[in-house]
Amino acid sequence: MASSRPFDHLNSFRFQLVIDGRSLAAFASCDGLEISIDVIETADGPVRFLRKRPGLVHHHNIILRRGLTRATELWDWFRAAAEGRVERKAGSIVVLEDDQSEVLRYNFLDGWPCRWKSLVLDASRSDVLIEELELAVETIERAE
C-alpha cells in the first residue's frame, strides 16, 4: 500500500526502465522526458503585431545513466543500431512509491539507442563507473 498522500510531491529517486514489458536495469538518473512545441511568429493585421501559432511538436531524446555492470543487453541493442540494425522498441519510465508500487508512468514509442557513453576513468577516484544510454524516441506520453 502506498504511503504517500495525493497532494505529496513525488520522489525523483525511485524509478525503473521497462522495455517490451520487462524491467531492465536500475538506473541512477533519467533526463530528457521533454516535449516542446515550436512557436511560429507571423505578422498579422494592419497594425502588424506578431501572432504566435503552434508549430511542430518535438519529443526529446531520453538520457539514462547507471552504474556500469557486466550485463550486455542494452549495449548489444546499441551495437546493433550502430551496425545499421536499428530495432525500435516501446518502453516506459515508471516512477515508484516507497513500497515499489507504480505511481506514474511515461511511455515512449519507437525508441532506439542513438548514443552510448562511458564517463571518465580516473585511477585517483573510487567512484562507480557510470554509463549513459541515449534513446531517440518518436513519442512520449504520460499514462494516467
Side-chain angles (χ1 to χ4, degrees):
M1 174 180 240
S3 61
S4 66
R5 300 161 296 190
F7 53 84
D8 285 342
H9 294 261
L10 299 177
N11 294 319
S12 67
F13 54 87
R14 285 191 189 88
F15 62 94
Q16 64 183 357
L17 171 66
V18 176
I19 295 181
D20 290 338
R22 293 182 313 134
S23 179
L24 290 180
F27 283 87
S29 71
C30 173
D31 192 11
L33 288 170
E34 180 178 349
I35 303 168
S36 62
I37 304 170
D38 288 341
V39 176
I40 300 171
E41 294 182 338
T42 56
D44 194 12
V47 181
R48 305 223 11 108
F49 64 91
L50 286 177
R51 301 281 305 192
K52 295 183 180 184
R53 303 185 192 289
L56 296 175
V57 176
H58 300 273
H59 297 268
H60 296 258
N61 292 350
I62 298 172
I63 300 171
L64 299 158
R65 292 176 191 88
R66 71 174 184 174
L68 184 62
T69 67
R70 289 185 176 89
T72 64
E73 185 171 10
L74 295 175
W75 169 254
D76 294 342
W77 186 29
F78 171 76
R79 286 300 308 156
E83 293 168 358
R85 299 183 322 268
V86 175
E87 185 180 351
R88 295 172 181 266
K89 297 183 179 190
S92 302
I93 306 299
V94 182
V95 178
L96 302 172
E97 183 61 85
D98 294 338
D99 63 359
Q100 303 301 309
S101 62
E102 182 176 323
V103 176
L104 178 63
R105 177 180 292 253
Y106 290 96
N107 296 321
F108 61 86
L109 302 174
D110 292 321
W112 55 276
C114 63
R115 184 176 65 90
W116 176 86
K117 177 182 177 183
S118 178
L119 299 183
V120 178
L121 297 169
D122 185 347
S124 68
R125 299 176 62 170
S126 61
D127 297 343
V128 170
L129 182 60
I130 301 292
E131 69 176 335
E132 282 185 5
L133 182 69
E134 183 170 342
L135 301 178
V137 300
E138 293 197 5
T139 303
I140 298 173
E141 347 175 287
R142 180 175 166 165
E144 298 297 330

